Amino acid sequence: MILSKTGEMPTIDPRVLRYSLSVSLTVGLYGIAFGAASIASGFSVLQSCLFSLLTFTGASQFAAVGVVASGGTAFAAISAATLLGTRNALYGMQMAPLLENRGLNKLIAAHITIDESTGVALSQIEQGASSMRQGFWLTGLGVFLFWNLFTLLGALGAKQLGTPASWGLDAGVPAAFLGLLWLRLTSNFLRLVALAAMIFTVVVTPWMPAGLPIISATLVAVVAGWSERSSQS
Amino acid sequence: MWVVLFCTSALALLTKLGGHYVPASWLSNPRLQRINALIPIALLSALVVAEALTNKTKLVLDHRLAGVAVALVALMAKMPFPVVVLSAVFTSAFIYHWH
């Protein structure tokens, strides 16, 4: 697929390959955490694996099983996961003109449009469009391979362990969210938004059905984004 | 469970496909862009709290919060992701069995 778009056979840049592989493997390892979290939330091994195969966007998967684990409704779980995945649409808008795929290739390209494939593609911007395309495909497919492999291992491992709480797995899920969040807190304004969303969630939790506080925290993002220009220098 | 699995998957793919079919000019509203960039931060923050501090609609302080507190320390010490998660897991399991 890396080769089929324009018909030419570009040689794979070894630097892009190395970079894509290291990203794929590192990110793929998080799949263990997802597999374990999914089992801890009451999903089966098959369901956990299908999540990684079909949903294939890590934060949304964690959100879906996380909301279910906290007693939220199916609607709350699906909404939280979908809202968390909206950034993939933005990535798609950036990648589509670069990839120029059609038909099945476009469908596969869309499925592997995630943080990492887009990130690696954009990091190759100085090397030109061919390197960017290679970065996108190699990273997207690489993450897909390792993410699914490690989800299976994590799910099987967690299944062997039994009660999630007695192994601390119920703390692993929020810790994973905190880790994902941490990477994004690159300015004081963003830290403030995170803190506001946390306080908001604590305050509204006793007053709302389970799962709803998570979705309504997007209000914090809307308010903050709306007024950002005036509050940020 | 199956409903959550398949609806989440279908909507995730539709979102991704939508991005590939929509012209980039839709991106031009800076206010929308800013809000979109902030949504993951708000949602992840809410998820940390919901998973560490709540049980259904109650706020509870238990072994999970201790685990997340240790994870926070690990993050501040710039530890890699697996170490962060494992430190939370071990702390939480230790406290769960200890009390």
Side-chain angles (χ1 to χ4, degrees):
Chain A
M1 269 156 290
I2 301 161
L3 316 172
S4 62
K5 287 161 312 283
T6 48
E8 97 262 38
M9 277 272 290
T11 45
I12 290 176
D13 183 345
R15 257 179 11 88
V16 178
L17 182 65
R18 245 195 327 268
Y19 187 33
S20 300
L21 264 182
S22 69
V23 170
S24 303
L25 192 61
T26 318
V27 174
L29 279 169
Y30 292 29
I32 294 184
F34 172 73
S38 178
I39 295 294
S41 310
F43 288 90
S44 68
V45 174
L46 175 67
Q47 286 169 327
S48 308
C49 291
L50 284 175
F51 257 120
S52 286
L53 281 168
L54 301 175
T55 307
F56 190 55
T57 175
S60 296
Q61 292 176 229
F62 272 112
V65 302
V67 172
V68 168
S70 66
T73 59
F75 174 77
I78 296 161
S79 319
T82 303
L83 283 170
L84 210 44
T86 51
R87 65 187 192 289
N88 291 328
L90 293 183
Y91 298 156
M93 288 182 208
Q94 290 173 291
M95 291 296 108
L98 173 77
L99 298 168
E100 296 176 325
N101 289 129
R102 251 172 259 134
L104 185 62
N105 273 357
K106 197 175 186 84
L107 186 68
I108 298 169
H111 194 48
I112 61 166
T113 302
I114 51 170
D115 293 330
E116 294 78 20
S117 53
T118 309
V120 171
L122 293 176
S123 75
Q124 299 301 316
I125 209 156
E126 281 167 15
Q127 277 70 41
S130 167
S131 290
M132 287 176 79
R133 273 194 290 272
Q134 288 179 14
F136 177 86
W137 282 105
L138 289 172
T139 310
L141 295 173
V143 173
F144 189 77
L145 175 72
F146 289 120
W147 177 255
N148 282 291
L149 186 67
F150 286 114
T151 297
L152 175 64
L153 292 180
L156 287 175
K159 201 77 197 167
Q160 299 298 315
L161 295 177
T163 321
S166 74
W167 292 89
L169 287 182
D170 51 350
V173 181
F177 282 131
L178 190 63
L180 292 172
L181 173 66
W182 198 258
L183 298 172
R184 295 172 179 275
L185 299 181
T186 47
S187 77
N188 278 333
F189 177 72
L190 298 178
R191 280 185 273 274
L192 197 66
V193 172
L195 192 66
M198 286 183 178
I199 294 170
F200 175 86
T201 311
V202 169
V203 171
V204 300
T205 290
W207 313 102
M208 283 184 178
L212 214 57
I214 298 166
I215 311 168
S216 32
T218 48
L219 283 175
V220 176
V222 172
V223 171
W226 198 269
S227 54
E228 187 172 346
R229 182 146 297 168
S230 53
S231 62
Q232 199 182 27
S233 52
Chain B
M1 294 291 213
W2 287 106
V3 174
V4 173
L5 168 57
F6 286 118
C7 290
T8 301
S9 299
L11 288 169
L13 184 60
L14 278 177
T15 307
K16 291 170 178 170
L17 261 178
H20 279 259
Y21 279 106
V22 157
S25 58
W26 283 26
L27 260 176
S28 55
N29 185 336
R31 196 166 260 173
L32 259 182
Q33 266 182 302
R34 284 201 305 269
I35 291 173
N36 205 300
L38 292 176
I39 281 178
I41 290 177
L43 276 175
L44 287 170
S45 306
L47 280 162
V48 172
V49 170
E51 293 287 305
L53 273 174
T54 71
N55 186 1
K56 300 270 159 70
T57 60
K58 286 199 194 72
L59 294 170
V60 281
L61 302 177
D62 59 16
H63 54 282
R64 295 172 301 168
L65 185 63
V68 173
V70 172
L72 182 65
V73 173
L75 281 167
M76 291 196 286
K78 297 193 162 52
M79 295 290 176
F81 187 82
V83 177
V84 171
V85 174
L86 284 177
S87 67
V89 167
F90 287 135
T91 308
S92 176
F94 178 74
I95 292 180
Y96 181 84
H97 287 286
W98 182 52
H99 72 67

